[in-house]
């Protein structure tokens, strides 16, 4: 179900709780909400739809992908970026990594490890910041 976008900075500043298999519906809602906003959005974290769980959804080179409990375990190639967000007004400067290795769980809660680069890596970093309660 498409959810309303949360703009409450106090809520967004909370560190998200670990996701469990009971959170599959939240992931479905997150994907549907992301698809509904595809013209102006390439990624979302669960707190953007009012659920304080470590779940992100993003455009992975044309295919949507969901990660439960993502963590960046390795990064390289730092650079400065400027990003916008559906939950926040305007754009903000931040530091990102060109290449990241992410440990996460898939929809079956199997642990996976994958390296992402470029634009996709930047999207994932933005959404993981949401999970950490970091408002850029």
């Amino acid at each position: 179900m498409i959810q309303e976008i949360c703009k409450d900075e106090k809520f967004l500043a909370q560190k998200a709780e670990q996701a469990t298999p009971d959170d599959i519906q939240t992931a479905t809602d997150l994907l549907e909400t992301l698809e509904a906003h595809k013209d102006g959005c390439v990624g979302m974290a669960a707190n953007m739809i009012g659920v304080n769980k470590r779940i992100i959804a993003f455009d992975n080179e044309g295919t949507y992908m969901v990660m439960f409990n993502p963590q960046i375990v390795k990064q390289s190639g730092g650079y400065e970026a400027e990003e916008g967000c559906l939950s926040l007004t305007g754009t903000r400067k931040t530091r990102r990594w060109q290449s990241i290795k992410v440990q996460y769980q898939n929809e079956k809660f199997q642990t996976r490890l994958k390296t992402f680069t470029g634009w996709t890596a930047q999207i994932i970093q933005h959404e993981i910041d949401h999970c950490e309660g970091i408002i850029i």
Side-chain angles (χ1 to χ4, degrees):
M1 172 184 280
I2 297 169
Q3 301 293 320
E4 187 174 327
I5 302 299
C6 175
K7 296 182 184 278
D8 179 351
E9 289 190 28
K10 186 174 181 183
F11 179 79
L12 294 168
Q14 297 178 79
K15 191 168 182 173
E17 297 173 9
Q18 289 287 107
T20 69
D22 292 336
D23 297 313
I24 294 292
Q25 184 59 51
T26 296
T28 300
D29 291 349
L30 191 59
L31 272 174
E32 290 176 9
T33 305
L34 176 57
E35 288 176 23
H37 291 277
K38 67 182 175 190
D39 289 342
C41 185
V42 291
M44 288 187 158
N47 65 356
M48 293 176 67
I49 60 169
V51 179
N52 194 28
K53 293 288 188 153
R54 285 188 73 88
I55 307 169
I56 67 172
F58 58 94
D59 181 342
N60 182 23
E61 299 180 358
T63 303
Y64 288 120
M65 184 171 180
V66 173
M67 291 181 173
F68 295 87
N69 304 312
Q71 293 183 319
I72 298 170
V73 295
K74 187 176 181 183
Q75 68 270 330
S76 65
Y79 66 96
E80 298 300 316
E82 191 167 330
E83 301 173 349
C85 181
L86 283 181
S87 290
L88 304 168
T89 304
T91 60
R92 292 164 175 77
K93 294 184 186 230
T94 187
R95 182 158 174 81
R96 295 293 181 220
W97 302 98
Q98 179 63 29
S99 177
I100 58 171
K101 186 179 281 190
V102 183
Q103 180 177 302
Y104 64 95
Q105 292 169 307
N106 64 16
E107 64 282 345
K108 295 177 182 175
F109 278 79
Q110 298 164 321
T111 299
R112 297 288 184 249
L113 197 60
K114 185 171 169 97
T115 298
F116 297 88
T117 61
W119 177 235
T120 304
Q122 185 173 338
I123 298 166
I124 294 167
Q125 289 169 83
H126 180 100
E127 304 317 330
I128 290 177
D129 277 357
H130 272 290
C131 294
E132 296 297 329
I134 296 169
I135 299 175
I136 59 156

